[in-house]
Amino acid sequence: MGAPCYTTLDDALEILAPYGIGLKNGNSNHAPMVAEALCAMGRPDAVMPWIARYRERMLSRSPAGGRIRREDWRAALGQRQCFADWSAFIAEELQEAPWRQVLDHWVERLAPGFCAAATHGVIRVGHAARGLAESETQPRLRELADAFASWAATYQEFPANGHGANGTMTPRQAITRVAVVPPDRRQYAGNITASLAMLDDLPEFAPSLGLIDTGGDLASLVGEITEVFAGLYLANAHDIRTTIAFIHGVTSPAALGNIAPQVTDRTARAAVRYAWQSGCGLYACFGGDTTMAEDIEPREEDADDLVDRAVAHGDEHVIKFTEACLRQHARAPSPVYFAAVDHVRGMIPRR
């Protein structure tokens, strides 16, 4: 995988600024995230052609409807129609304080809703934060405001019921203790976010939040969580719905990996607990009999070739999943990542 190159990111973000968080088919707008991911993989040349193909699927952003006040911001959480209001609100904070301070403040506040919009909110914040860490520009500051707005406007929490104490297990140990929705009680309601409401009727799921030990080296813990959910992806992604669901189980902790170096240790450790919970929630609702793929045969793969295949494939999930897996593999090599990247291209139709 080539060295990161962000020469086209600001121009891309300027093109994308007039658009909202949704697509015409009701799914989330991935364009800013894909643009940053392509730059992170050293493929800035692919950004504009990809956006040109994707733009016809996007919806213009709605105008702001009202002002969010600092004393009652909680009332606007989960109000999708308030996306533009949230963006203006966060933009004001970015004018008054350094972006890392704003990032820390709002990641801490929104972490319990890590699962919002099937984790798209936090994933977008992760891409925005990494772009800003590379260079602080006005388009990237605006994108951070939009990213937080997408998280806040779609805010959703999983049931935890006080199970927030630090656990004692590793992620690999803990995943086998997560309660899953019995197959005969599963009712899929159109999209992933709606389907996750099944957890409201599964009180046994709540303790999952407190299963893992969040002490020790934070980067290693995020890497362990990502590797576990990549193995879970391989074992459970058998159709388009499960593939998309379990992709987010990998890309969301990977997004936290982008955020963690830019915020305080306290905020990052609070967020990692909810990153774990969100992946567990996806598994509880969409998982099968096998938790994780085991004994994966190591394979010789060239990272640049995998990037080229993802770009040629064109799907937004394939591109972002490839970037997340290759980055995690570069940090802590595991055969699960190359296997997952090869698998995903066969599960999602080319664009």
Side-chain angles (χ1 to χ4, degrees):
M1 186 163 63
C5 181
Y6 284 79
T7 54
T8 58
L9 182 58
D10 287 350
D11 289 341
L13 294 177
E14 292 285 9
I15 292 171
L16 298 173
Y19 295 96
I21 57 174
L23 300 178
K24 293 176 182 177
N25 64 2
N27 293 333
S28 295
N29 175 12
H30 290 71
M33 298 178 270
V34 171
E36 195 280 334
L38 288 168
C39 291
M41 292 190 291
R43 291 299 308 270
D45 58 300
V47 172
M48 293 303 186
W50 187 88
I51 289 176
R53 295 190 300 272
Y54 194 76
R55 275 177 89 175
E56 65 178 22
R57 300 165 57 192
M58 296 162 59
L59 292 170
S60 297
R61 66 195 294 153
S62 300
R67 181 180 178 85
I68 296 174
R69 295 182 299 177
R70 288 181 177 175
E71 61 269 23
D72 60 3
W73 60 270
R74 287 182 176 84
L77 288 176
Q79 305 296 316
R80 194 177 180 91
Q81 73 276 11
C82 293
F83 167 70
D85 304 330
W86 270 109
S87 182
F89 178 69
I90 300 295
E92 287 182 6
E93 298 219 342
L94 286 167
Q95 291 176 354
E96 298 172 5
W99 70 266
R100 287 181 175 86
Q101 182 177 324
V102 175
L103 181 74
D104 185 84
H105 182 65
W106 282 99
V107 169
E108 181 181 29
R109 282 184 164 183
L110 298 178
F114 200 96
C115 65
T119 70
H120 281 116
V122 69
I123 293 171
R124 186 167 176 178
V125 169
H127 284 286
R130 184 169 59 183
L132 270 169
E134 194 275 338
S135 180
E136 183 176 333
T137 67
Q138 197 57 43
R140 299 184 202 188
L141 288 169
R142 185 182 58 234
E143 170 54 19
L144 182 61
D146 278 355
F148 269 125
S150 70
W151 189 353
T154 59
Y155 188 85
Q156 176 188 8
E157 292 185 18
F158 282 155
N161 301 334
H163 292 281
N166 195 47
T168 59
M169 300 181 191
T170 67
R172 182 172 288 271
Q173 293 167 334
I175 194 64
T176 63
R177 299 283 296 276
V178 175
V180 301
V181 179
D184 61 350
R185 289 168 50 190
R186 295 187 180 185
Q187 296 181 344
Y188 297 112
N191 60 30
I192 294 172
T193 301
S195 298
L196 292 173
M198 289 186 283
L199 295 178
D200 293 337
D201 298 318
L202 187 72
E204 302 93 329
F205 174 77
S208 65
L209 177 65
L211 290 177
I212 62 169
D213 180 2
T214 58
D217 181 70
L218 186 63
S220 296
L221 177 58
V222 171
E224 287 177 47
I225 292 172
T226 308
E227 183 179 9
V228 164
F229 286 121
L232 193 147
Y233 162 87
L234 282 174
N236 291 274
H238 56 79
D239 58 21
I240 190 69
R241 179 171 59 194
T242 51
T243 296
I244 297 297
F246 291 119
I247 280 173
H248 295 110
V250 176
T251 53
S252 56
L256 180 57
N258 294 337
I259 294 169
Q262 314 303 332
V263 298
T264 63
D265 184 75
R266 176 175 175 270
T267 294
R269 288 190 189 278
V272 77
R273 194 189 309 273
Y274 293 103
W276 160 256
Q277 182 199 39
S278 293
C280 291
L282 293 167
Y283 172 57
C285 292
F286 295 93
D289 296 331
T290 304
T291 306
M292 288 188 297
E294 303 287 355
D295 301 323
I296 301 168
E297 182 113 11
R299 61 184 74 190
E300 292 293 329
E301 297 272 13
D302 182 82
D304 288 328
D305 286 344
L306 293 175
V307 172
D308 289 341
R309 291 174 206 166
V311 172
H313 186 284
D315 179 80
E316 58 266 44
H317 295 95
V318 170
I319 292 171
K320 296 194 310 96
F321 188 63
T322 297
E323 188 276 321
C325 286
L326 293 183
R327 175 161 39 89
Q328 292 300 318
H329 181 79
R331 193 197 67 79
S334 170
V336 71
Y337 294 121
F338 284 172
V341 166
D342 279 341
H343 181 272
V344 75
R345 293 194 307 274
M347 297 304 296
I348 297 179
R350 292 171 64 100
R351 290 286 182 183

